[in-house]
Amino acid sequence: MSLDTFILFADLLGTFVFALSGATVAVRARLDVFGIIVLSFVAATFGGMFRDLLLGDHPPVALKGWYHIAVSCAAGLFGFYRHRWIEHFRNPVRILDAAGLGLFVALGTQKALEYGVQPIPAMLLGMLTGIGGGVVRDMMAARVPVVFQPTELYAVAALAGAAVIAIGYNLPIPTPVVLTVGAIIVFVMRYLAIRRGWTLPTAKDADL
Amino acid sequence: MSLDTFILFADLLGTFVFALSGATVAVRARLDVFGIIVLSFVAATFGGMFRDLLLGDHPPVALKGWYHIAVSCAAGLFGFYRHRWIEHFRNPVRILDAAGLGLFVALGTQKALEYGVQPIPAMLLGMLTGIGGGVVRDMMAARVPVVFQPTELYAVAALAGAAVIAIGYNLPIPTPVVLTVGAIIVFVMRYLAIRRGWTLPTAKDADL
Amino acid sequence: MSLDTFILFADLLGTFVFALSGATVAVRARLDVFGIIVLSFVAATFGGMFRDLLLGDHPPVALKGWYHIAVSCAAGLFGFYRHRWIEHFRNPVRILDAAGLGLFVALGTQKALEYGVQPIPAMLLGMLTGIGGGVVRDMMAARVPVVFQPTELYAVAALAGAAVIAIGYNLPIPTPVVLTVGAIIVFVMRYLAIRRGWTLPTAKDADL
């Protein structure tokens, strides 16, 4: 298996797991099966699509072929018929989701850097690739995005990995090594945050 | 009347009817007259604007001239002064809306195919052209998009017509015929769904 | 200080004040510190970013360097630690916000005209530059955008200034004069609207 094939395979696995999160939110919001499939697709692909819009890559990767659409539909239908099963295996799904986050952030940061974006905005675009789908998924379900609420370090893990990649990219280190290290940092931080319940603070005395 | 003039006329009529849906949602959400006009414009044009962003057509068609803006403003003001009238004629408005949906889906799918997008993502972009405005209209009114809830086959009708066009486009059939058939399929499916109350299922046992 | 330096300085000051509005909304919605920073960045930059997407300027200005990101983060952290202070000085903050609105609308309208957009859509893009960030900020906090509700002439002030610039741009008047007049019109209208409580009407008998 070549490196490109491996990355495509990992990308589609990440797409499937992210899409499951969209299906779960949609089932809870009592959407119909079409709404479930749309939220699956949005959760899995919107981060990357918005990154591609900002970089000027038309059409975005998720719409260049049919793979991401097919995988998202499959995840949506799976969520429609087997949502209880997903809830039951919530913890393994979260571990896979953390791995998908690491991959998406690494590939997104790299793409932005390759398009000539400066390191700090490239970090932002890498994080956006990882969390953008979940933000729009929640906005479509008319709820405040989970990633903005005190949850276990989701965006911060993404940002840390993206920062490592943005710094390492200009050092004399092979790019695959930089990307792997960045993705692993995201995964490990997110994994530890879930295990130990690490969260960020809210503002004190916020009753305004 | 040339074909182009006919299509422009039909496009602006569809824009007007879609904009009325925005005005109605905005009046119900008790927005001020500016909010009513914005939601009219968003409901009528956002699907096509987002399609154009994804295809890289800058600026999007709705912002190349003043027609779509003027028609949306007119519909918004009409909704502001005569919202009871629109509610009263709800059923004829829904029939016109179904015709607008057929037109928007047909033109959107065709545009994506002309930009070299593959058939399956082109179907998606055709559907987006038809339903995207309504989705963002509802998100701006802080409610779950109607099209994701059990309603009378709105998006599925759009998808069916888009599929027919994506398939027919590469067959030796004149494009106007393909587009007309696709638009009619959208209209008829939507019309029958309204008449007979066809809906899609939600997930069973969704109390998670 | 050159004109460009002055404009950059004013732009970053406007960015800071707009970002404070995002921080305030986020603190009230009980977001964590990451969510507060994101909403600050979105409130300050999304209008301009969406304008740039529509014009095809990739990446958008706010992501070309690190200034806008840094200023938004600073405002977000300031809001996190000192939100009571911002509430206390609500009125001076609103005056600064009105000045920022004037600047953003003037620069946004000018940029659209320079990209060859026609006057009426250019007005819309100018207004979008001024109000778009606040709209998405509110959507992310799962509430109906304030600018669509009966508030003191926010969008209408933006639109009036944008109209003056779109008209003046093609007259034999130096562009800096046109932009200054447009920005001042926005500021004065907004200032008077705050002082005198001018609002737009909602639709009558909206209990549908």
Side-chain angles (χ1 to χ4, degrees):
Chain A
M1 187 154 69
S2 76
L3 183 63
D4 279 357
T5 313
F6 173 76
I7 288 177
L8 177 63
F9 182 80
D11 181 8
L12 293 177
L13 187 62
T15 300
F16 188 85
V17 179
F18 271 45
L20 286 184
S21 81
T24 304
V25 169
V27 167
R28 285 184 187 174
R30 302 193 162 280
L31 304 190
D32 68 13
V33 64
F34 171 76
I36 295 171
I37 290 174
V38 169
L39 252 67
S40 301
F41 180 70
V42 165
T45 64
F46 201 90
M49 283 207 284
F50 199 62
R51 173 205 63 209
D52 289 351
L53 280 180
L54 292 165
L55 294 175
D57 182 17
H58 304 292
V61 171
L63 297 177
K64 284 197 206 297
W66 55 270
Y67 291 168
H68 293 85
I69 298 170
V71 166
S72 301
C73 284
L77 288 172
F78 185 81
F80 176 66
Y81 288 113
R82 290 286 176 270
H83 54 93
R84 285 185 172 284
W85 191 93
I86 300 170
E87 296 284 332
H88 188 71
F89 290 96
R90 187 155 178 265
N91 282 327
V93 167
R94 287 212 295 178
I95 303 301
L96 281 174
D97 185 276
L101 182 67
L103 180 80
F104 282 16
V105 168
L107 296 178
T109 312
Q110 181 200 21
K111 180 163 185 174
L113 292 165
E114 277 177 1
Y115 269 71
V117 173
Q118 289 187 17
I120 288 185
M123 280 171 55
L124 216 75
L125 288 170
M127 187 189 71
L128 171 68
T129 308
I131 73 168
V135 169
V136 179
R137 170 201 70 201
D138 290 346
M139 289 170 73
M140 285 184 165
R143 64 182 210 181
V144 176
V146 170
V147 73
F148 298 159
Q149 292 169 337
T151 41
E152 300 94 354
L153 299 197
Y154 199 91
V156 170
L159 211 48
V164 166
I165 293 168
I167 294 166
Y169 192 79
N170 288 315
L171 299 179
I173 306 172
T175 303
V177 173
V178 173
L179 296 181
T180 307
V181 170
I184 288 173
I185 286 172
V186 176
F187 176 76
V188 170
M189 278 187 67
R190 173 73 182 136
Y191 180 82
L192 290 175
I194 292 172
R195 287 273 151 190
R196 304 189 178 182
W198 289 343
T199 61
L200 287 179
T202 54
K204 283 174 195 161
D205 313 314
D207 307 290
L208 301 171
Chain B
M1 187 154 70
S2 76
L3 184 63
D4 279 357
T5 313
F6 173 75
I7 288 178
L8 177 64
F9 183 80
D11 181 9
L12 293 177
L13 186 63
T15 300
F16 189 84
V17 179
F18 271 44
L20 286 184
S21 81
T24 304
V25 169
V27 167
R28 286 183 186 174
R30 303 194 161 279
L31 304 190
D32 68 11
V33 64
F34 171 76
I36 295 170
I37 290 173
V38 170
L39 252 66
S40 302
F41 180 70
V42 165
T45 64
F46 201 90
M49 283 207 285
F50 200 62
R51 174 205 61 208
D52 289 351
L53 280 179
L54 292 166
L55 293 175
D57 183 17
H58 305 293
V61 171
L63 297 178
K64 283 197 205 299
W66 54 271
Y67 292 168
H68 293 85
I69 299 170
V71 166
S72 301
C73 284
L77 288 172
F78 186 81
F80 175 67
Y81 288 113
R82 290 286 176 269
H83 53 93
R84 284 186 174 284
W85 191 93
I86 300 171
E87 296 283 332
H88 187 71
F89 291 95
R90 189 157 177 263
N91 282 326
V93 167
R94 287 213 294 178
I95 303 302
L96 281 175
D97 185 276
L101 182 67
L103 181 80
F104 282 16
V105 167
L107 296 178
T109 312
Q110 181 200 20
K111 180 163 185 173
L113 291 165
E114 276 177 1
Y115 269 70
V117 173
Q118 290 187 16
I120 288 185
M123 279 171 55
L124 216 74
L125 288 169
M127 188 189 71
L128 171 68
T129 308
I131 73 167
V135 169
V136 179
R137 170 201 70 200
D138 290 346
M139 289 171 73
M140 285 184 164
R143 66 181 208 181
V144 176
V146 171
V147 74
F148 298 159
Q149 292 170 336
T151 40
E152 300 93 353
L153 298 198
Y154 200 89
V156 170
L159 212 48
V164 167
I165 292 168
I167 294 166
Y169 192 77
N170 288 315
L171 299 179
I173 306 172
T175 302
V177 173
V178 173
L179 296 181
T180 307
V181 170
I184 288 173
I185 286 172
V186 175
F187 176 75
V188 170
M189 278 186 67
R190 173 71 183 141
Y191 181 81
L192 290 175
I194 292 172
R195 286 273 151 190
R196 304 189 178 182
W198 291 343
T199 61
L200 287 179
T202 55
K204 283 174 195 160
D205 311 316
D207 307 291
L208 301 170
Chain C
M1 186 154 69
S2 75
L3 183 63
D4 279 358
T5 314
F6 174 76
I7 288 177
L8 177 64
F9 182 80
D11 181 9
L12 293 176
L13 187 63
T15 300
F16 189 84
V17 179
F18 271 46
L20 286 185
S21 81
T24 305
V25 169
V27 167
R28 286 184 187 174
R30 302 191 163 281
L31 304 190
D32 68 12
V33 64
F34 170 76
I36 295 171
I37 290 174
V38 169
L39 252 66
S40 302
F41 180 70
V42 165
T45 65
F46 200 89
M49 283 207 285
F50 200 62
R51 173 205 61 208
D52 289 351
L53 280 180
L54 292 166
L55 294 175
D57 183 18
H58 305 292
V61 172
L63 297 177
K64 284 198 206 297
W66 55 271
Y67 291 167
H68 292 86
I69 298 170
V71 166
S72 301
C73 284
L77 288 172
F78 185 82
F80 175 67
Y81 288 112
R82 289 286 175 270
H83 54 95
R84 283 186 174 286
W85 191 94
I86 299 170
E87 297 284 332
H88 187 72
F89 290 96
R90 188 156 178 264
N91 282 326
V93 168
R94 287 211 294 178
I95 303 301
L96 281 174
D97 185 276
L101 182 66
L103 181 79
F104 282 15
V105 168
L107 296 178
T109 311
Q110 181 200 20
K111 180 163 185 173
L113 291 165
E114 276 177 1
Y115 269 71
V117 173
Q118 289 187 15
I120 288 185
M123 280 172 54
L124 216 75
L125 287 169
M127 186 188 72
L128 171 69
T129 308
I131 73 166
V135 169
V136 179
R137 170 200 71 201
D138 290 345
M139 289 170 72
M140 284 184 165
R143 66 181 208 180
V144 176
V146 171
V147 73
F148 298 158
Q149 293 169 336
T151 41
E152 300 92 354
L153 298 198
Y154 199 89
V156 169
L159 212 48
V164 167
I165 292 168
I167 294 166
Y169 192 78
N170 288 316
L171 298 179
I173 306 172
T175 303
V177 173
V178 173
L179 296 181
T180 308
V181 170
I184 288 173
I185 286 172
V186 176
F187 176 76
V188 170
M189 277 186 68
R190 173 74 182 137
Y191 180 81
L192 290 176
I194 293 172
R195 286 274 151 190
R196 304 189 178 181
W198 290 341
T199 60
L200 287 180
T202 55
K204 282 173 194 161
D205 311 316
D207 306 291
L208 301 171

